[in-house]
Amino acid sequence: MASFNISLIFTLSLTICLLDMISARQLTESDQQLKFQYHKGPLLTGKISINLIWYGKFKPSQRAIITDFITSLTSPKLTTTKSQPSVTTWWKSTEKYYHLTNNRKSVNLVALSLGAQILDDKYSLGKSLTTNQILKLASKGQQQNAINIVLTAANVAVDGFCLNRCGTHGSSYGARVNGKRHKFAYIWVGNSETQCAGQCAWPFHQPIYGPQSAPLVAPNNDVGLDGMVINVASLLAGTVTNPFGNGYFQGPKEAPLEAASACTGIYAKGAYPGYAGNLLMDKTTGASYNADGVNGRKYLLPAIFDPKTLACATLV
């Protein structure tokens, strides 16, 4: 009997010890996931073309809002001051990620430029798209040294759109070129104006949930497209710093918080839930913005997570 009791106590002690070890390990893994960190994978580098695949009906004036934004990312024509920041300034903040990677031999940055535009205004795949069909559309663009952005019109439904996402980014292998298959990055963003503007075009529309505040005036006078700019910007930052799922991010790999999505809802200093922050205002139109673009454009862009300070950095 004594032998049984000692054995039982030993077994119980061992079990408790193992449970403590498992719990500690789980806590450690959980703590690691909570940290915004580099996961040792490649970032996009070198000259990259941004190709736009327009799916559905878009007016030329709407397409110009996006193309001017892409051009503004690296435009040498934009002058920047503290009181009047530019899209170029916003994009340069992603360079900090490149300086912090383990490859310290030389810092090879990414140089973006506007590439080809493909128009599919006949809805070749219908008006309700699956994720695989989005990838099929993305594959129409250049498949080497490229980011292909699929932009779907307001009357196009996409799996998960408005339910749990406003857009997404990923990567895929393209066709064989000289015996090699190259990975290319892609992004999809939908026009939410008639489907869920309160979710995907906030703060230019009343929010669907949370603290309620009056919507801001969109800087390009188009709630849907100005909302798309916010999402394209956020996903571009995530794409170059986490193109293949093993770059910079926080949380689980399946649902990561990335360079801009880690700062969702923050657009200027003083931001809090339901309030975008102390933004600049166009005296003529009353529109809210935080960055100048080419051709006199103004844009509202999300804060970028600063990997050095571990805080969200805003332009204003």
Side-chain angles (χ1 to χ4, degrees):
M1 187 65 113
S3 175
F4 172 78
N5 285 338
I6 292 171
S7 176
L8 180 62
I9 291 169
F10 175 77
T11 302
L12 286 172
S13 299
L14 182 60
T15 301
I16 291 169
C17 182
L18 286 170
L19 286 173
D20 284 344
M21 288 172 66
I22 291 169
S23 177
R25 182 180 175 185
Q26 287 175 337
L27 282 172
T28 302
E29 289 175 350
S30 178
D31 289 345
Q32 284 295 105
Q33 284 195 345
L34 290 174
K35 292 179 181 178
F36 194 98
Q37 58 187 314
Y38 178 46
H39 296 266
K40 311 303 181 184
L43 280 59
L44 289 190
T45 58
K47 294 180 179 180
I48 302 288
S49 294
I50 298 180
N51 304 302
L52 305 177
I53 297 96
W54 301 92
Y55 189 82
K57 303 287 186 183
F58 286 93
K59 299 174 185 176
S61 59
Q62 292 180 312
R63 295 200 298 269
I65 293 171
I66 300 291
T67 55
D68 282 350
F69 167 67
I70 301 299
T71 302
S72 300
L73 290 169
T74 54
S75 174
K77 297 179 181 178
L78 287 174
T79 55
T80 302
T81 64
K82 272 192 175 181
S83 61
Q84 209 67 30
S86 70
V87 175
T88 304
T89 307
W90 176 82
W91 185 248
K92 283 183 75 69
S93 63
T94 62
E95 291 180 6
K96 292 181 180 180
Y97 287 84
Y98 290 81
H99 289 284
L100 287 177
T101 57
N102 286 341
N103 182 12
R104 298 182 183 276
K105 297 175 184 176
S106 62
V107 179
N108 190 9
L109 302 176
V110 64
L112 302 180
S113 62
L114 180 62
Q117 297 190 59
I118 299 169
L119 305 184
D120 187 342
D121 57 2
K122 303 296 184 185
Y123 303 92
S124 64
L125 299 177
K127 293 184 179 180
S128 182
L129 303 179
T130 64
T131 299
N132 284 339
Q133 287 174 317
I134 290 294
L135 179 55
K136 184 176 180 179
L137 290 170
S139 299
K140 291 184 176 183
Q142 183 181 333
Q143 296 182 1
Q144 190 174 351
N145 300 322
I147 300 173
N148 296 334
I149 304 181
V150 178
L151 302 158
T152 50
N155 60 345
V156 176
V158 177
D159 280 356
F161 188 35
C162 296
L163 295 176
N164 53 22
R165 58 181 182 170
C166 303
T168 191
H169 81 85
S171 62
S172 182
Y173 282 99
R176 288 188 180 277
V177 178
N178 297 325
K180 288 185 178 181
R181 296 185 71 192
H182 297 274
K183 262 189 175 182
F184 70 94
Y186 69 90
I187 291 171
W188 158 72
V189 170
N191 184 343
S192 66
E193 184 169 17
T194 59
Q195 298 186 54
C196 56
Q199 180 178 338
C200 296
W202 184 85
F204 304 127
H205 191 282
Q206 200 81 15
I208 292 176
Y209 52 84
Q212 298 294 301
S213 56
L216 303 179
V217 177
N220 295 286
N221 198 33
D222 191 314
V223 169
L225 267 294
D226 278 301
M228 290 181 85
V229 168
I230 291 173
N231 294 312
V232 167
S234 177
L235 289 164
L236 263 179
T239 296
V240 300
T241 57
N242 186 33
F244 308 121
N246 54 2
Y248 283 96
F249 66 88
Q250 171 186 340
K253 183 178 180 179
E254 298 74 23
L257 292 177
E258 299 174 320
S261 58
C263 300
T264 297
I266 300 174
Y267 297 94
K269 290 179 176 63
Y272 54 82
Y275 178 62
N278 304 319
L279 296 165
L280 303 174
M281 181 178 287
D282 187 298
K283 293 178 181 178
T284 303
T285 65
S288 296
Y289 70 101
N290 60 9
D292 285 335
V294 299
N295 298 325
R297 295 281 185 193
K298 298 186 186 305
Y299 294 104
L300 183 63
L301 304 177
I304 294 285
F305 189 84
D306 188 323
K308 288 186 177 180
T309 64
L310 302 181
C312 294
T314 59
L315 287 171
V316 295

